Amino acid sequence: MQAGPGDGHEAHLHVLQCHQHGLDDGGAIKEILQVILRKTEQRVHVVPIRPPRHDHRLARRLLDIQTLPFIVVANPHIERVHALYRNAFEKLVALPKVVNIKQDEEFVHMLKNLVQEGVQVVPLLARGTYEASLKVSAKRLNCDRFLGDMVMSRISRRVIAEQFIALHHARPGYVGVICKELSVLKVIERVAPEAAVTCERTYGVAPAIQIEGERGITCSYIPTHLEYIVFELLKNAMRAVCETHLMRATSLPPIKILLTRGPSD
């Protein structure tokens, strides 16, 4: 195997090996993040092992879909999800071992297409289960665990796939899709206006936000994930403030955000 200087190839290979060893979804992501951030950003030139494999994960999801109540499986939106997963599974099962740059580039191209196709999975799942619940009560369908497993598995697969793709395109300050020094303050400042607009659409007003603590804190994280988390926290906080104080006070109390380091920082 040929690689750049240093041990950067270990981080890249570890992304691949997590799949080969069958690590669970959450464990795989955690271990990938930890190992990649300890390594350099050198790119592998030749990878004589199989790249990330999602086939066993997709097989579990296909089985989950096939064991759903018939009224759910027969829904056209759920059928579409099954077809997308089956197509991805068949492509990955037929994937040969990557032994040269050309094969690596072909795999990355295929992986990009699969990631893009997967964008429609969550809306299709939501629509399909909703339509099924109109005919049979949601309690009888008992799809909550199925939806939770599908969404969590999809998140983990997408993170690993996007990380593998991003490792082929170096960006300053990033290791793959992970920003090594992500400013928490800037993330809050980016999503707070969006959360306020969402709140104003429902309640006609939105509480102010006060940021306190260590404003210069940074962390190693995936920006889009932290933005989503912060947005949901702010949206829920704004909703709670409005529903609690809107009819009782002339003005809304502000939402206070305290930025501080944790014991592992």
Side-chain angles (χ1 to χ4, degrees):
M1 177 179 67
Q2 299 174 356
D7 59 356
H9 61 284
E10 294 182 28
H12 198 161
L13 293 181
H14 197 82
V15 179
L16 317 184
Q17 292 165 346
C18 281
H19 294 268
Q20 288 188 307
H21 295 163
L23 294 180
D24 62 275
D25 295 341
I29 296 175
K30 182 177 180 181
E31 189 164 350
I32 287 168
L33 293 176
Q34 291 174 344
V35 173
I36 288 175
L37 292 175
R38 289 200 302 265
K39 304 300 181 180
T40 65
E41 297 150 324
Q42 300 295 330
R43 178 180 169 185
V44 175
H45 298 298
V46 178
V47 187
I49 61 174
R50 286 187 181 274
R53 294 295 298 268
H54 296 304
D55 48 350
H56 63 289
R57 301 170 190 272
L58 290 170
R60 288 200 294 266
R61 302 288 76 82
L62 284 168
L63 182 61
D64 287 345
I65 294 174
Q66 293 164 2
T67 54
L68 286 171
F70 177 77
I71 194 170
V72 181
V73 179
N75 181 275
H77 303 294
I78 302 301
E79 286 183 337
R80 175 60 179 157
V81 173
H82 185 272
L84 288 170
Y85 276 51
R86 184 182 61 205
N87 175 62
F89 175 80
E90 290 173 351
K91 287 183 177 179
L92 291 169
V93 166
L95 183 71
K97 182 181 292 187
V98 173
V99 296
N100 55 52
I101 295 176
K102 185 176 183 298
Q103 288 179 323
D104 183 51
E105 291 174 345
E106 290 174 350
F107 173 73
V108 170
H109 179 71
M110 182 189 74
L111 203 57
K112 287 180 179 178
N113 290 336
L114 293 178
V115 169
Q116 186 59 37
E117 290 175 0
V119 171
Q120 55 188 312
V121 166
V122 172
L124 287 171
L125 283 172
R127 186 66 182 175
T129 52
Y130 170 73
E131 290 181 356
S133 68
L134 296 178
K135 300 177 181 178
V136 179
S137 67
K139 184 176 181 180
R140 288 184 60 191
L141 290 177
N142 193 27
C143 288
D144 289 348
R145 181 174 179 179
F146 162 75
L147 289 173
D149 289 346
M150 290 289 286
V151 172
M152 289 300 296
S153 177
R154 178 183 176 277
I155 291 172
S156 66
R157 291 196 313 274
R158 179 158 183 160
V159 167
I160 296 171
E162 290 182 340
Q163 176 67 15
F164 182 81
I165 293 169
L167 285 172
H168 291 71
H169 309 283
R171 296 170 59 191
Y174 281 76
V175 178
V177 294
I178 306 167
C179 179
K180 294 189 292 184
E181 295 185 2
L182 179 61
S183 170
V184 180
L185 176 63
K186 290 182 178 179
V187 169
I188 296 173
E189 291 175 341
R190 279 199 298 271
V191 304
E194 184 180 353
V197 169
T198 302
C199 183
E200 289 171 358
R201 287 174 183 165
T202 304
Y203 300 100
V205 66
I209 293 177
Q210 294 180 1
I211 302 175
E212 304 174 351
E214 302 179 57
R215 299 170 71 89
I217 285 179
T218 61
C219 62
S220 296
Y221 215 82
I222 301 174
T224 53
H225 287 208
L226 186 58
E227 288 172 1
Y228 180 81
I229 292 169
V230 172
F231 173 78
E232 290 297 323
L233 288 173
L234 289 178
K235 185 181 70 174
N236 292 341
M238 290 179 178
R239 175 183 177 183
V241 169
C242 287
E243 292 184 352
T244 302
H245 299 281
L246 194 57
M247 303 301 294
R248 304 178 184 177
T250 56
S251 61
L252 298 176
I255 294 173
K256 295 182 178 180
I257 300 175
L258 176 63
L259 300 182
T260 183
R261 300 181 187 276
S264 60
D265 296 325

